[in-house]
Amino acid sequence: MTFNQTCLFGQIDDLHDLALIERPVRRSLTTAEEIEKLTVDEGLNDIERAVYLLSSGQDVQRASVVVNLPNLVRQNPAETFRRVVPKVREVLHVAGVEMQLAAAASFLTILQDELILIQTHTHSILQIILLNLYHRDAAVVSTAWLETLLSAIDVLPKETIRQEILNPLVPKAQLSQSLQSRLASCRVLGKVAGKFESHIVKKDVLPLVRSLCQDVEYEVRSCMCRQLEYIAKGIGAEHTKGVILPELVELARDEGSSVRLAAFDTIVNLLEMFDNDDRTCIVFPLVKTFCEKCFKADEAVLASLTFQYGKLCHGLSGSFTEDQHVWFLEFYKKLCVLGLQHENGHSETYPLELERKYESVRKNCAYNFPAMILFAEPKNFLSELYPTFSSLCHDPEISVRRTTANGFHEVVKLLGSSVHLIQKELIALLQDDSLEVLDALMDNLLEILELVTSKGEGAGSESKQVNVPDLIPALNAAEQKAATSLKWRIHEKLLQKYSCLPRVISSDQIYFRFLQRMFTIITTNNVLPVQRQSARTLCVFLRYNRKQEQRQEVINKLVDQLGQGRSYWNRLRFLDICEIVIELFSKSYFCKYFLVPALELVNDPVANVRFKLCNMLPKLKSAIKLPTDKHLLQQLEFCVRKLLCREKDKDVMAIVRKTVLELDKMDITEPYQKRHEKDLLDQKKEKEENLLLEMEQLEKQQTEGKSSSEKLGERKRKEVKKSKLSRSRSLSCNPSPPKLSAAEKSLKSTSSSSPVTTKSSLQHINDDLLRSHHFSVASTSTAPSASVPVLIRSNTTGNGSNGNKDTRKINISKRSNP
């Protein structure tokens, strides 16, 4: 038998086995017998039905009664606690995990909603909770009942807690009890400590706390150690020094690593309760020893230590001596490169598990970096922390670089005027190979770019000339990387964040480096959310463009290649752009450039385009201002009549009829106040668009004035050169030149200074007009949420090879109008 025959017979045998295990399909989901078992007499009231189901019902019926228990207590609390709750207590003895969890949630709801009116009912519920607190399923059921008890302590009165919880807890915390019982006692002691006065805590709670801190099981010692924070807050700072601190010192030297880590975390959380002497003489040596021990032999604990390191240094910084300060800073630097280099400087290969631990350490160091800047002081960043920060930004592990990118905006804010020092690291993160890093950086991109571009010249203009131009290629590369990946949501998010670019770079840079890219994405990308976000970002760029010629070119391109494009997909995107323009620009702007091309799509051969246009007709009508745009309203009504008469597609026809009714009701249904607010917002947008036009005209006048003054100066220099030449030729005949009169001297000085006077006066007029517009726009603002402070960069004055422009900041919500 050949190999192929063997495979064939094997497959036949498998099919034969499947046929043997085939069973007849059950036609009915529920038999008559099962229906009879689930049937309950309709004459029973809610209490009687609950008792019956708990006594003889199925598990699913019992569970439904337990879930509905809070409603029964609301309706009839006396009968519920007399008849139903005892039955629930009996059922829980043999109940499964799901019913136990449902009962824990129901009793917690009853306690938190204060549905109990008398003390005996509270006693009944607490007895059930304490009875199930030590359930055999410690991982799930017991934990659920413990959380129920801890939450109930928050709403119970002190006397009830003392009698019903604290007193029964004393025997359960003894060494003779089970591990599960002692662990639960630790959690409860930490919770009740905040409910009583300090003298009660010292008398009733502290003896149990000391006993549990000395327990033979390390799990109990660790659990109790983590509760010392709450107990310390319950007894106050004075008693904490004498009672809690000695226990923490002993636990910090425990043989169990989890106990030492719990002691370290508790000490960090209680730093504010210790005085300077305790911090310097007790806490620092203790923490230092703990750090050194973890660094040498306990990498697992070291990862948890580094998570609290920034908080530790910040809390102790006021009590450190110079040497102590240096030690903690140098230890942090070691942690930031842990696992990257061997002691001799050469790279070393570590086991995978150890590499993961080292990665966690460096990740936590990146998380704590802003706190370490405060610890070292921002003025010392370059000498103390810059190499460390650069290492974190170039770390080989993605998680470390992602964490660094997440906190980059905090670092930028802390550095202030020294932010130019980390511009190279910003470029490196923007060009990172991982999209996760880029995604993390995008969350606070606007804040980062604003601070980097406004304060980047801290070391002089040369620094900005070198580094800031690298920003634009890096932003372009980041978008290209996101576009070529399969993670379109990151691409969409990046495009949404790029809408902030008009606030940080000039409109010329946006026009030549970004705007065409947005148009390409609209026409070529296959993901609809990405296309729409690109369209919105393009409209924002158009809104803030400073040159009429460029704005007109973009609008023409949108109308020609999208609104009148060959692909119906592009025509649909043009309608999306129309909706965005209505939102961002004034009504007059939209009507002037976009309304007529949109209405022309009523003749589109594709029904989907006509359908979308019909849906937009109410928005188009709302953009028309009467009586000035009466002719546009007539065109819109003509389009509606054309659709009613000629439309053959049933879906389009249905939406047309629905839209006609909406158009008729528009002026009637909208409240006057809402319409008035919209009018005020539209007036504000139109003023801002006019302001852009006036600023452009002023810049042109300034440019023309500058060129005319340069021509006048050139002419004057030529005249002076000619006069000198003629004077030198006449020296042989006239040895001594004639002296100028006082009037001639005055006339000469006036004529020589005229170019400067013309330029300065023109600049003075320009600045005054801009200032008046700025305050008029700010004072007439009626929608603060829509207002966006925009950094407008002038395009008339150069600043070296990088093309940086003179900046003026104007508070405006939107900008438009070519």
Side-chain angles (χ1 to χ4, degrees):
M1 185 181 291
T2 63
F3 176 76
N4 291 335
Q5 289 174 331
T6 304
C7 293
L8 177 61
F9 284 112
Q11 293 176 359
I12 293 175
D13 291 339
D14 293 339
L15 292 174
H16 181 65
D17 292 340
L18 289 174
L20 289 177
I21 65 174
E22 206 174 284
R23 295 290 182 269
V25 178
R26 189 174 163 186
R27 297 297 180 186
S28 176
L29 297 177
T30 308
T31 64
E33 184 180 353
E34 290 174 337
I35 293 175
E36 185 178 355
K37 287 182 179 180
L38 295 171
T39 303
V40 181
D41 186 3
E42 295 181 0
L44 299 177
N45 60 35
D46 292 340
I47 300 296
E48 293 171 343
R49 185 185 299 108
V51 174
Y52 172 77
L53 292 175
L54 289 171
S55 301
S56 57
Q58 302 294 311
D59 287 343
V60 64
Q61 293 174 315
R62 292 174 181 176
S64 68
V65 173
V66 173
V67 171
N68 195 46
L69 197 58
N71 292 329
L72 293 176
V73 174
R74 292 187 184 95
Q75 296 170 8
N76 195 342
E79 285 297 306
T80 301
F81 277 97
R82 188 176 70 86
R83 299 180 61 186
V84 180
V85 172
K87 285 290 183 181
V88 172
R89 182 171 180 171
E90 294 176 7
V91 170
L92 289 177
H93 281 294
V94 294
V97 175
E98 293 182 1
M99 191 176 295
Q100 290 277 353
L101 298 179
S106 294
F107 285 126
L108 179 59
T109 301
I110 293 171
L111 291 171
Q112 288 180 334
D113 292 354
E114 299 181 354
L115 302 177
I116 302 174
L117 301 178
I118 59 177
Q119 183 67 25
T120 55
H121 295 168
T122 304
H123 176 76
S124 300
I125 290 183
L126 289 177
Q127 287 299 312
I128 295 175
I129 294 175
L130 292 174
L131 184 64
N132 293 277
L133 186 61
Y134 310 107
H135 192 274
R136 58 185 177 276
D137 187 353
V140 180
V141 177
S142 181
T143 302
W145 284 108
L146 177 59
E147 295 299 329
T148 299
L149 179 62
L150 296 176
S151 300
I153 291 174
D154 291 330
V155 298
L156 292 175
K158 294 180 182 178
E159 193 60 32
T160 301
I161 295 173
R162 189 167 187 175
Q163 293 179 1
E164 303 290 343
I165 299 176
L166 191 56
N167 291 340
L169 187 69
V170 176
K172 295 292 185 181
Q174 301 304 317
L175 189 60
S176 59
Q177 296 295 318
S178 66
L179 175 64
Q180 177 186 352
S181 175
R182 303 201 303 275
L183 288 173
S185 299
C186 294
R187 297 282 306 277
V188 175
L189 286 174
K191 190 70 175 181
V192 300
K195 297 287 290 188
F196 297 106
E197 292 79 8
S198 60
H199 67 277
I200 297 178
V201 176
K202 287 179 61 180
K203 178 183 176 182
D204 297 338
V205 177
L206 279 182
L208 292 175
V209 170
R210 290 194 182 97
S211 173
L212 291 169
C213 284
Q214 304 297 326
D215 197 277
V216 295
E217 299 290 343
Y218 74 91
E219 295 101 324
V220 178
R221 299 196 301 273
S222 176
C223 183
M224 193 66 252
C225 183
R226 293 195 178 276
Q227 303 304 315
L228 291 179
E229 174 187 353
Y230 308 107
I231 294 170
K233 293 176 181 178
I235 63 177
E238 182 179 351
H239 298 296
T240 297
K241 180 178 180 180
V243 179
I244 302 299
L245 187 56
E247 292 290 343
L248 286 173
V249 171
E250 186 174 352
L251 290 169
R253 296 169 180 153
D254 195 275
E255 60 184 9
S257 60
S258 62
V259 181
R260 297 197 302 272
L261 179 60
F264 173 80
D265 290 340
T266 305
I267 288 173
V268 172
N269 293 332
L270 291 177
L271 282 177
E272 59 184 14
M273 301 188 71
F274 303 140
D275 56 30
N276 286 336
D277 292 338
D278 292 336
R279 294 177 185 177
T280 304
C281 302
I282 299 177
V283 175
F284 172 75
L286 192 66
V287 171
K288 181 180 179 182
T289 303
F290 179 72
C291 292
E292 289 175 339
K293 192 171 183 180
C294 292
F295 189 81
K296 293 178 181 178
D298 202 344
E299 294 83 5
V301 176
L302 192 61
S304 300
L305 180 150
T306 50
F307 186 76
Q308 293 268 40
Y309 200 84
K311 186 177 181 180
L312 171 69
C313 293
H314 185 66
L316 292 176
S317 59
S319 306
F320 277 158
T321 63
E322 185 64 29
D323 293 340
Q324 293 171 342
H325 189 280
V326 170
W327 187 91
F328 269 91
L329 191 59
E330 292 301 320
F331 185 72
Y332 173 77
K333 294 178 184 179
K334 291 181 183 178
L335 293 174
C336 288
V337 294
L338 184 64
L340 299 181
Q341 286 185 340
H342 196 249
E343 293 181 359
N344 57 9
H346 300 290
S347 60
E348 183 177 347
T349 303
Y350 299 98
L352 182 61
E353 183 180 357
L354 189 59
E355 284 188 358
R356 295 281 76 83
K357 292 177 181 178
Y358 287 159
E359 177 187 348
S360 297
V361 169
R362 300 198 304 275
K363 177 182 174 182
N364 290 336
C365 288
Y367 170 79
N368 284 287
F369 193 84
M372 297 308 297
I373 292 180
L374 290 175
F375 181 69
E377 296 185 5
K379 63 182 180 181
N380 300 322
F381 173 79
L382 182 61
S383 59
E384 297 290 347
L385 287 175
Y386 175 73
T388 301
F389 185 67
S390 181
S391 173
L392 292 173
C393 290
H394 295 87
D395 194 276
E397 297 297 335
I398 294 175
S399 62
V400 180
R401 303 197 304 274
R402 183 179 65 240
T403 305
T404 306
N406 266 323
F408 199 92
H409 66 291
E410 296 290 345
V411 176
V412 168
K413 286 191 291 187
L414 290 171
L415 291 181
S417 60
S418 301
V419 71
H420 62 279
L421 297 174
I422 60 171
Q423 285 182 359
K424 291 181 180 179
E425 283 61 42
L426 173 61
I427 302 301
L429 291 176
L430 283 171
Q431 296 175 339
D432 196 277
D433 293 334
S434 171
L435 284 178
E436 295 180 30
V437 178
L438 185 61
D439 184 36
L441 195 64
M442 288 298 111
D443 291 334
N444 300 282
L445 183 66
L446 172 60
E447 189 174 8
I448 293 171
L449 292 182
E450 280 190 330
L451 292 171
V452 168
T453 55
S454 62
K455 298 179 180 179
E457 64 275 9
S461 59
E462 292 182 3
S463 171
K464 192 169 183 180
Q465 289 174 6
V466 172
N467 292 325
V468 172
D470 297 338
L471 180 64
I472 294 177
L475 291 171
N476 278 321
E479 189 277 323
Q480 294 281 358
K481 190 186 294 96
T484 55
S485 72
L486 298 178
K487 299 180 179 180
W488 63 265
R489 287 181 178 84
I490 295 180
H491 192 200
E492 180 190 17
K493 178 181 179 181
L494 184 142
L495 293 174
Q496 189 269 329
K497 296 298 181 180
Y498 276 16
S499 61
C500 74
L501 292 182
R503 301 176 62 171
V504 294
I505 60 179
S506 69
S507 61
D508 274 347
Q509 290 172 319
I510 291 175
Y511 179 79
F512 291 110
R513 303 300 296 273
F514 294 97
L515 203 145
Q516 178 57 41
R517 176 59 186 164
M518 297 299 113
F519 192 85
T520 303
I521 295 172
I522 296 173
T523 55
T524 61
N525 197 279
N526 296 324
V527 182
L528 181 58
V530 173
Q531 285 184 320
R532 287 179 171 168
Q533 185 55 59
S534 180
R536 172 169 288 274
T537 303
L538 184 145
C539 290
V540 173
F541 290 166
L542 177 64
R543 179 75 171 84
Y544 296 148
N545 190 277
R546 295 290 305 275
K547 291 187 176 180
Q548 180 179 358
E549 182 181 348
Q550 293 177 356
R551 292 196 299 268
Q552 188 63 57
E553 182 181 345
V554 173
I555 293 172
N556 292 340
K557 198 170 184 179
L558 290 174
V559 174
D560 294 341
Q561 299 187 26
L562 295 184
Q564 299 172 3
R566 297 181 60 184
S567 170
Y568 87 95
W569 196 251
N570 288 343
R571 300 196 294 275
L572 286 174
R573 297 295 75 76
F574 177 75
L575 292 178
D576 288 336
I577 288 175
C578 288
E579 289 184 303
I580 299 170
V581 171
I582 291 174
E583 177 186 346
L584 297 180
F585 294 79
S586 66
K587 294 179 180 180
S588 59
Y589 191 98
F590 172 76
C591 291
K592 183 177 181 182
Y593 296 103
F594 292 93
L595 180 58
V596 174
L599 292 177
E600 289 176 354
L601 293 177
V602 72
N603 299 315
D604 197 279
V606 179
N608 287 6
V609 178
R610 302 196 303 275
F611 186 89
K612 184 173 181 64
L613 175 64
C614 293
N615 270 321
M616 288 180 54
L617 286 176
K619 290 184 179 180
L620 299 182
K621 183 179 179 182
S622 66
I624 296 175
K625 298 170 66 175
L626 296 177
T628 54
D629 296 332
K630 187 176 180 181
H631 64 288
L632 296 177
L633 180 61
Q634 291 174 350
Q635 290 187 39
L636 187 143
E637 292 173 348
F638 177 74
C639 291
V640 174
R641 287 195 296 270
K642 183 183 293 187
L643 287 169
L644 287 171
C645 295
R646 301 181 182 178
E647 185 57 53
K648 296 179 181 179
D649 187 273
K650 61 179 182 179
D651 294 326
V652 178
M653 195 63 196
I655 197 66
V656 169
R657 290 169 180 165
K658 180 182 176 181
T659 304
V660 168
L661 296 177
E662 292 183 18
L663 292 173
D664 293 338
K665 295 178 181 178
M666 279 183 59
D667 298 330
I668 303 174
T669 57
E670 189 174 22
Y672 169 78
Q673 182 64 28
K674 187 176 180 181
R675 190 164 62 249
H676 181 65
E677 291 176 358
K678 288 182 178 179
D679 291 340
L680 290 178
L681 181 60
D682 184 68
Q683 291 175 12
K684 181 184 175 185
K685 292 178 183 178
E686 194 166 352
K687 284 183 180 179
E688 292 161 1
E689 291 162 2
N690 293 333
L691 173 61
L692 278 177
L693 288 173
E694 293 176 9
M695 291 175 64
E696 185 177 4
Q697 292 175 359
L698 284 172
E699 289 173 358
K700 287 182 179 179
Q701 293 175 6
Q702 185 177 355
T703 304
E704 293 173 357
K706 183 177 179 180
S707 60
S708 61
S709 62
E710 289 175 353
K711 291 179 180 178
L712 185 61
E714 183 65 24
R715 190 183 305 122
K716 187 63 181 177
R717 284 193 294 272
K718 290 180 180 180
E719 292 177 356
V720 170
K721 190 179 295 184
K722 288 181 180 179
S723 63
K724 287 182 178 180
L725 182 60
S726 60
R727 190 181 301 120
S728 62
R729 289 176 178 174
S730 60
L731 278 177
S732 56
C733 303
N734 302 306
S736 59
K739 293 184 179 181
L740 295 175
S741 63
E744 289 175 334
K745 288 181 180 180
S746 175
L747 181 61
K748 181 177 180 180
S749 62
T750 302
S751 62
S752 63
S753 63
S754 60
V756 179
T757 306
T758 303
K759 180 178 178 181
S760 61
S761 62
L762 184 60
Q763 180 68 39
H764 176 70
I765 294 172
N766 188 4
D767 292 342
D768 287 346
L769 186 55
L770 285 174
R771 193 178 297 112
S772 66
H773 273 293
H774 167 71
F775 286 107
S776 65
V777 169
S779 63
T780 56
S781 176
T782 58
S785 61
S787 179
V788 180
V790 180
L791 186 64
I792 303 177
R793 295 186 178 272
S794 173
N795 297 321
T796 57
T797 57
N799 188 19
S801 60
N802 63 335
N804 292 317
K805 312 298 180 182
D806 182 29
T807 62
R808 294 185 178 87
K809 199 161 188 176
I810 302 178
N811 253 333
I812 59 177
S813 61
K814 310 288 178 186
R815 296 183 300 169
S816 67
N817 234 359

